[in-house]
Amino acid sequence: MRTYMLTLFKAVKYYFKCAIHPRRIIISSDKKVSHINISVATQLFAICLISLGVLWSLYATGRFIAVHSTLEAQSNTLRLATVKKVDNLFPSMAPVQPEMSKLGIMNPQDTSQAKLALLEQQVSDLKNENEAIVERVKIKADGRIDDLESIVRQTGLNPDAMEKTAEKSKKESDEDAEGGPYIPTKMPRVSEETSDMFASLDRLEALRQVISNLPLGIPIKHFEEHSSFGNRIDPFNGDMAFHSGLDLAGPIKSPIYSTADGTVINAERDGSYGNMVDVDHGFGVVTRYGHLSEISVHKGDKVKKGSIIGIQGSTGRSTGPHLHYEVRYNGEPINPQKFLRTGRLLELGNVSQD
């Protein structure tokens, strides 16, 4: 046995040396002869790569055949389950008279019952789908309502009061005018869930309108706050006094911008405010811009957010060039700082307005 193995080993070694040995490839051209040497190690490496490729191809082929067989078995199982479900859905279609079965004809009464059952199922499915859509829309609308109410609260205003004001304004506007004779139809009454969905959508629209009119912009760029809202020491007599706005000082001749869409309701000189502009933004909200050196708008003008309404100055009761900026709600001054802070959050994307 040992002699046989030794002879076999020598034979393998001999054929290996014959098959794999240093080789040289000669490439000749018109002007040059090139030699490429291929070592034994390079040949062994190439043989290994080819062997791995063949083994991987065999494995991938076997894997594909196995997966294909599995999918085909699952498909057959699903097909059988579908046929069984149809039989359960239309039980009246299963028992057929032998004579009619041979001819391939079903009982007309059974066919009508099956069609009726199918239509009833389709109506039920449609109703369920409609209810699911209504529920999803209401959940989405309620979520946006919570976000928008949060924005209103950050300004210091009451979102419920603002919504009521918006709804009242809509009812009083000409755009909401409706009428005509009553002609009943056979359409079903709107469900309670659908009514709730429409109510949520109406609230959402009202809040969007409110926020689009809130003064959340910046009245003057690159400013420094010299005096805040609330009680302070009066700069002229040194006594405690209430300051109804913010004193914001920017570079000389800085333009003053409207902080929201609105209508100019006052543009003139007014005592301590000096040259003053008031802009009505609706829903009881008014912004005031005082101590202007120039007024760029007139009473009755429609302005957009970011429109220039004047130039910073020091007219009226003022110790130097700055803007006196106020926000008033139903005639009473409220803290403008909350509106500026909320506006910055919206610009940074920390609060969603859409």
Side-chain angles (χ1 to χ4, degrees):
M1 183 67 179
R2 181 177 180 182
T3 303
Y4 173 77
M5 293 299 295
L6 183 60
T7 303
L8 180 61
F9 175 75
K10 290 180 178 180
V12 170
K13 184 177 180 181
Y14 171 76
Y15 285 113
F16 180 81
K17 288 183 177 180
C18 292
I20 302 177
H21 55 81
R23 300 176 187 273
R24 174 179 295 180
I25 298 176
I26 300 174
I27 301 175
S28 62
S29 60
D30 294 340
K31 298 180 180 180
K32 184 178 180 182
V33 177
S34 300
H35 299 271
I36 300 177
N37 296 322
I38 303 177
S39 64
V40 173
T42 302
Q43 296 178 58
L44 290 175
F45 181 72
I47 292 173
C48 290
L49 287 181
I50 294 172
S51 300
L52 288 175
V54 172
L55 291 175
W56 173 252
S57 299
L58 293 174
Y59 170 77
T61 302
R63 182 69 177 171
F64 172 79
I65 293 174
V67 172
H68 180 73
S69 300
T70 302
L71 291 177
E72 186 175 1
Q74 292 178 353
S75 177
N76 292 333
T77 303
L78 181 60
R79 189 181 299 108
L80 292 174
T82 303
V83 172
K84 184 177 179 180
K85 187 172 183 179
V86 171
D87 291 340
N88 293 334
L89 183 61
F90 305 122
S92 60
M93 297 176 65
V96 182
Q97 297 178 4
E99 295 81 7
M100 299 181 70
S101 177
K102 293 178 182 180
L103 299 175
I105 303 174
M106 296 183 61
N107 189 326
Q109 183 178 0
D110 292 340
T111 304
S112 299
Q113 292 177 358
K115 290 181 178 179
L116 179 60
L118 179 60
L119 289 174
E120 290 176 349
Q121 183 64 38
Q122 290 176 343
V123 171
S124 177
D125 293 342
L126 185 61
K127 180 180 178 181
N128 293 336
E129 183 178 356
N130 180 66
E131 290 176 353
I133 293 174
V134 169
E135 182 65 16
R136 287 198 297 270
V137 171
K138 186 177 185 304
I139 291 174
K140 185 72 173 178
D142 289 344
R144 301 304 306 128
I145 288 172
D146 291 340
D147 293 340
L148 298 183
E149 286 182 343
S150 175
I151 294 176
V152 176
R153 288 192 188 94
Q154 290 184 53
T155 65
L157 298 175
N158 186 331
D160 293 333
M162 299 298 289
E163 287 178 44
K164 291 179 181 178
T165 303
E167 292 173 359
K168 181 179 179 181
S169 176
K170 182 179 179 181
K171 291 179 180 179
E172 294 175 351
S173 67
D174 294 336
E175 295 178 356
D176 198 45
E178 298 177 347
Y182 171 69
I183 303 176
T185 68
K186 295 182 180 180
M187 294 292 292
R189 294 181 62 86
V190 177
S191 66
E192 183 177 352
E193 292 78 11
T194 304
S195 297
D196 291 342
M197 179 194 70
F198 284 123
S200 295
L201 291 176
D202 288 341
R203 287 187 61 196
L204 180 60
E205 181 60 27
L207 279 169
R208 283 177 171 170
Q209 184 63 34
V210 168
I211 290 180
S212 67
N213 284 51
L214 287 181
L216 301 177
I218 304 298
I220 183 172
K221 296 180 180 179
H222 311 298
F223 65 85
E224 293 181 359
E225 184 176 327
H226 286 183
S227 185
S228 59
F229 176 87
N231 294 325
R232 68 169 183 177
I233 297 177
D234 186 85
F236 288 91
N237 56 33
D239 295 334
M240 290 297 298
F242 178 75
H243 188 226
S244 57
L246 296 176
D247 287 344
L248 309 175
I252 297 176
K253 297 295 183 180
S254 291
I256 305 302
Y257 305 94
S258 175
T259 52
D261 297 354
T263 303
V264 177
I265 58 174
N266 194 6
E268 60 184 9
R269 192 174 185 88
D270 187 277
S272 299
Y273 289 100
N275 292 330
M276 180 188 74
V277 173
D278 287 348
V279 180
D280 184 1
H281 305 286
F283 313 109
V285 179
V286 174
T287 51
R288 174 168 293 178
Y289 312 80
H291 306 318
L292 304 178
S293 62
E294 297 176 21
I295 296 177
S296 305
V297 292
H298 300 86
K299 184 177 181 179
D301 286 351
K302 301 289 185 181
V303 294
K304 293 289 186 180
K305 179 180 179 180
S307 299
I308 297 177
I309 59 175
I311 302 298
Q312 174 188 250
S314 185
T315 58
R317 195 170 184 267
S318 169
T319 60
H322 71 282
L323 168 69
H324 175 84
Y325 177 61
E326 288 186 16
V327 177
R328 292 176 168 263
Y329 178 60
N330 292 334
E332 296 296 326
I334 56 179
N335 192 352
Q337 189 61 260
K338 294 182 178 180
F339 290 83
L340 296 178
R341 187 185 307 117
T342 303
R344 293 192 192 99
L345 291 175
L346 287 173
E347 290 182 355
L348 294 174
N350 294 336
V351 181
S352 176
Q353 184 176 358
D354 294 333

